[in-house]
């Protein structure tokens, strides 16, 4: 199954609202019989364990929006991949544009995070995407190529523990989504690139992210190479996240 739907809660919600949202989603997924729709929630790390407990006997998995490679160490303020895993996390987001932009994360660190997470049994969503300026200069595909190659080339990636998220930076949190054609072009390019790297690309989920919402989910998911979504803002309400799930279920 190539479909995958992910909720990136970012730095939102308190413990009680986070728990309530997880409970609503669990009920909704059960009610709709969506146990075969691979779904993962990325809550703030502080709530990871309790959200994982709420979702334990459901089909929804949880993951970390960020983690530091390794097990223990003198890295004040960090939480390790091993700690995430021990707290019930099954996934890690690597390379989100907000980490690249605000926390200056570069390819060597992203590669360490990705490989360490996979080594410890986690699955990874590796995020890539161009800025508005890069798109305007006609650099989109070059940027995507570079972001893929600098992290995934020449190392032993566990392809069956990987998903890619194409998230144009100009579409994240702006209300402006990529058109289905723009997204399809990028997704097909990414799949081709993965094939060139020797990956079983037809089995790797490639998600779209960037102002994905119920109003545009159907037409985006209709594209042949869009296998799901990484949802930010619209994942903070059970109704809108469920509507996006319904669109993916129908694909
Ligand atoms: P958005 O965020 O849906 O709010 O645009 C997506 C993301 O950053 O993963």
């Amino acid at each position: 199954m190539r479909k995958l739907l992910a909720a990136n809660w970012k730095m939102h919600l308190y413990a009680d609202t986070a728990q309530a949202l997880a409970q609503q989603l669990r009920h909704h997924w059960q009610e709709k019989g969506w146990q075969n729709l691979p779904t993962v929630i990325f809550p703030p790390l502080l709530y990871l364990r309790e959200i994982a407990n709420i979702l334990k006997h459901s089909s929804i998995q949880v993951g970390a929006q960020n983690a530091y490679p390794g097990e223990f160490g003198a890295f004040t303020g960090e939480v390790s991949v091993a700690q995430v895993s021990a707290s019930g996390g099954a996934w890690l987001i690597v390379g989100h544009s907000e980490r690249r932009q605000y926390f200056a994360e570069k390819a060597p660190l992203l590669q360490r995070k990705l490989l360490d997470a996979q080594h410890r049994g986690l699955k990874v969503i590796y995020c890539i995407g161009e800025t508005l300026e890069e798109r305007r200069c006609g650099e989109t595909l070059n940027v995507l190529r570079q972001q893929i190659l600098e992290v995934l080339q020449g190392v032993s990636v566990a392809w069956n523990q990987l998903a890619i998220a194409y998230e144009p930076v100009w579409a994240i949190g702006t209300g402006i989504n990529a058109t289905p054609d723009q997204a399809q072009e990028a997704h097909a390019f990414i799949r081709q690139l993965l094939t060139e790297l020797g990956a079983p690309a037809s089995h790797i989920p490639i998600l779209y992210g960037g102002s994905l919402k119920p109003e545009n989910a159907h037409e985006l998911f209709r594209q042949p190479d869009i296998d799901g979504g990484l949802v930010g803002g619209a994942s903070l309400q059970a109704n809108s996240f469920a509507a996006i799930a319904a669109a993916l279920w129908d694909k």
Side-chain angles (χ1 to χ4, degrees):
M1 166 90 72
R2 221 164 68 177
K3 286 182 188 177
L4 178 63
L5 186 64
N8 179 6
W9 289 355
K10 307 193 180 184
M11 198 175 75
H12 292 292
L13 306 169
Y14 285 112
D16 54 350
T17 45
Q19 286 171 21
L21 182 53
Q23 260 147 7
Q24 285 173 325
L25 295 176
R26 189 188 65 190
H27 287 140
H28 207 92
W29 261 235
Q30 260 160 11
E31 219 170 77
K32 294 282 179 185
W34 287 341
Q35 49 275 17
N36 293 327
L37 183 69
T39 306
V40 52
I41 290 173
F42 295 91
L45 263 180
L46 193 58
Y47 315 140
L48 181 79
R49 181 186 278 280
E50 47 198 287
I51 301 296
N53 281 336
I54 288 170
L55 297 171
K56 198 181 269 168
H57 300 296
S58 81
S59 58
I60 304 177
Q61 295 189 302
V62 296
Q65 300 168 21
N66 180 43
Y68 197 76
E71 186 182 23
F72 303 136
F75 300 104
T76 301
E78 291 297 290
V79 170
S80 76
V81 170
Q83 289 168 326
V84 165
S85 172
S87 299
W91 287 82
L92 178 65
I93 296 177
V94 172
H96 192 282
S97 69
E98 287 152 15
R99 302 292 319 170
R100 294 180 193 260
Q101 195 180 338
Y102 305 133
F103 303 96
E105 294 194 1
K106 303 270 186 297
L109 177 61
L110 302 180
Q111 187 178 61
R112 282 176 57 212
K113 290 187 180 197
L114 184 147
L115 294 176
D116 188 69
Q118 291 193 333
H119 171 70
R120 294 175 194 277
L122 270 66
K123 294 183 181 176
V124 170
I125 298 180
Y126 177 53
C127 303
I128 58 175
E130 82 286 1
T131 63
L132 189 56
E133 200 187 337
E134 288 162 343
R135 177 162 283 272
R136 285 194 176 136
C137 296
E139 285 298 313
T140 297
L141 300 185
N142 286 336
V143 169
L144 299 182
R145 181 199 308 276
Q146 186 186 337
Q147 290 176 333
I148 289 272
L149 294 185
E150 66 191 5
V151 169
L152 301 179
Q153 191 180 38
V155 288
S156 53
V157 176
W159 300 112
N160 60 353
Q161 290 168 245
L162 182 73
I164 304 288
Y166 168 60
E167 300 203 302
V169 178
W170 48 271
I172 295 176
T174 59
I176 303 166
N177 58 285
T179 66
D181 285 348
Q182 286 172 327
Q184 169 58 26
E185 182 195 24
H187 283 228
F189 177 77
I190 292 163
R191 204 177 302 282
Q192 175 60 30
L193 212 50
L194 291 171
T195 304
E196 287 166 24
L197 283 177
S202 62
H203 295 290
I204 296 180
I206 305 179
L207 317 181
Y208 170 77
S211 297
L212 187 56
K213 43 191 177 237
E215 297 78 39
N216 58 28
H218 271 104
E219 52 171 1
L220 284 160
F221 291 156
R222 205 174 295 133
Q223 303 303 311
D225 287 294
I226 300 185
D227 307 316
L230 178 53
V231 190
S235 73
L236 294 171
Q237 303 285 340
N239 285 349
S240 52
F241 190 60
I244 294 170
L248 185 59
W249 181 254
D250 287 345
K251 181 180 164 83

